[in-house]
Amino acid sequence: MGTELIRENDLVFLILDNRRRWMVQVTAGGQFHTHKGIIEFDDIIGKPFGSCVFSKPLESQGYKFYIFKPLPSDYILHMSRKTQIIYPEDAGLILLYTGIGPGSLVIEAGCGSGALTCILGNYVKPNGHIYSYDIREKSLKRAKKNVLRANLEEWITIKYGDILKDDFGHKNVDSIVLDMATPWEAIEKVKDYLKLSGTLASFSPTIEQVKKTTLALMNNNFYEVNTYELIKRKIQVKENATRPEVRMIGHSGYLTFGRKVEDRKNPYRGKKPQKNEIIDLEGMPLRG
Ligand SMILES: C[S@@+](CC[C@H](N)C(=O)[O-])C[C@H]1O[C@@H](n2cnc3c(N)ncnc32)[C@H](O)[C@@H]1O
């Protein structure tokens, strides 16, 4: 694909500097007001993504803004939100470890602000679909708005639904993605929506949730049950001071994955007596 031109109603990612950046929809005749001047949308429409625009009035303001085509990570960090949203690196691992891609059929709960929903929606194009449920009217409203802004309504359905109680009637879905307080309570029900070898991903901020979810997955015929935590460090690059940035997000959450199998049990092998679980301290640093 060659250079893309900005069209009326496109979402653009407007960057002034490291801290000041906005996701805006460009409408004919419209304006975007910042404390560093006004951006006239008619100055943007028809220009290629990657170009720049100067804020008006040029004589008193004249700041340079760069105009980018939004990336999935820009949607996440700059969309309207109220609930805790998934960070781009976690969303990336969810995509790779669930195999969600073009044509995938996916169930998600809860949709929250729809940040993860939009990421997933981008990847199931052109013929997949995300069914995303939530029990909070406010979340549903916000998520629907974000999906519309991202022009993804063809691939995403946001609906009221309690993943713990309601029967959604889905069959043979490729993946289930859970980001809610009690994912372990949903496992028994949602496994029936999944096809064999289908994947489940659950995002939880605490280890207590991870443990309950892991046990629920193992008791409900999921295999390859693994949990990961990603820690991302941004590197500051300067002539004589190149190092990780001092401030960082220390913890976003844990990601637990599983793949559905027919049956975990083996009728030919008796259950071996359980060994006592021991805590192995080998290699641990000694206290001084
Ligand atoms: C942390 S937010 C999800 C954030 C979302 N992943 C995002 O990126 O914006 C958790 C959501 O789960 C919803 N939720 C909690 N229990 C639920 C249930 N039983 N069924 C459906 N949604 C539920 C909550 O209402 C809340 O909006």
Side-chain angles (χ1 to χ4, degrees):
M1 204 191 286
T3 304
E4 274 184 80
L5 298 183
I6 300 162
R7 292 167 309 171
E8 199 184 330
N9 294 327
D10 271 352
L11 267 188
V12 301
F13 193 44
L14 209 55
I15 298 186
L16 173 60
D17 56 27
N18 257 344
R19 284 182 301 109
R20 291 168 290 191
R21 33 193 62 211
W22 303 266
M23 188 82 84
V24 292
Q25 189 166 29
V26 293
T27 48
Q31 294 180 326
F32 182 64
H33 289 245
T34 77
H35 60 296
K36 295 288 181 198
I38 296 168
I39 302 298
E40 303 269 11
F41 291 149
D42 287 349
D43 292 346
I44 293 182
I45 294 170
K47 279 191 162 186
F49 281 104
S51 54
C52 61
V53 64
F54 295 91
S55 60
K56 292 189 173 157
L58 293 174
E59 307 71 41
S60 56
Q61 299 290 343
Y63 287 90
K64 191 174 187 178
F65 288 69
Y66 293 93
I67 319 158
F68 288 100
K69 191 174 164 67
L71 295 173
S73 52
D74 302 328
Y75 282 110
I76 295 197
L77 298 175
H78 297 272
M79 70 178 13
S80 157
R81 52 168 146 159
K82 270 277 148 35
T83 52
Q84 173 64 50
I85 54 154
I86 294 259
Y87 282 87
E89 54 275 23
D90 291 321
L93 200 74
I94 291 176
L95 283 167
L96 291 180
Y97 281 20
T98 56
I100 292 172
S104 296
L105 193 58
V106 180
I107 296 177
E108 186 198 22
C111 66
S113 303
L116 180 59
T117 322
C118 287
I119 297 270
L120 301 178
N122 257 305
Y123 285 89
V124 301
K125 287 177 186 175
N127 52 349
H129 205 87
I130 313 286
Y131 292 91
S132 188
Y133 296 92
D134 209 293
I135 47 174
R136 287 179 63 227
E137 287 301 337
K138 276 193 179 159
S139 293
L140 292 164
K141 217 167 143 190
R142 191 176 305 274
K144 278 183 188 164
K145 212 164 132 196
N146 281 329
V147 167
L148 275 177
R149 274 189 91 202
N151 288 324
L152 287 167
E153 61 278 20
E154 198 180 317
W155 301 278
I156 296 174
T157 304
I158 306 273
K159 271 189 180 173
Y160 176 89
D162 186 333
I163 196 98
L164 303 181
K165 296 188 191 138
D166 297 335
D167 192 354
F168 299 148
H170 297 289
K171 280 274 168 250
N172 281 326
V173 307
D174 297 292
S175 301
I176 290 174
V177 179
L178 302 174
D179 179 5
M180 50 182 285
T182 58
W184 61 93
E185 291 180 355
I187 305 297
E188 195 176 347
K189 192 162 185 57
V190 301
K191 74 161 192 267
D192 293 336
Y193 302 143
L194 257 189
K195 68 180 188 189
L196 278 176
S197 187
T199 52
L200 183 142
S202 172
F203 178 86
S204 294
T206 72
I207 277 290
E208 286 78 5
Q209 291 164 302
V210 167
K211 205 168 154 187
K212 289 177 194 162
T213 306
T214 297
L215 294 176
L217 286 168
M218 299 209 297
N219 291 332
N220 281 282
N221 291 324
F222 281 86
Y223 204 69
E224 289 274 277
V225 179
N226 293 304
T227 296
Y228 305 93
E229 179 188 15
L230 296 181
I231 296 181
K232 184 175 80 173
R233 292 203 297 175
K234 190 171 178 187
I235 307 299
Q236 160 196 297
V237 179
K238 290 190 179 167
E239 191 62 40
N240 290 310
T242 299
R243 55 165 169 74
E245 283 190 349
V246 176
R247 288 171 197 272
M248 63 183 273
I249 306 273
H251 174 68
S252 56
Y254 302 103
L255 284 161
T256 301
F257 298 93
R259 300 167 84 169
K260 178 172 161 176
V261 290
E262 258 179 339
D263 195 350
R264 275 185 71 115
K265 288 189 218 89
N266 182 346
Y268 303 107
R269 307 281 296 183
K271 207 173 170 204
K272 288 187 191 146
Q274 293 268 311
K275 278 190 199 154
N276 280 342
E277 280 186 9
I278 54 158
I279 299 169
D280 187 356
L281 295 179
E282 203 174 309
M284 297 283 282
L286 296 175
R287 261 197 263 168

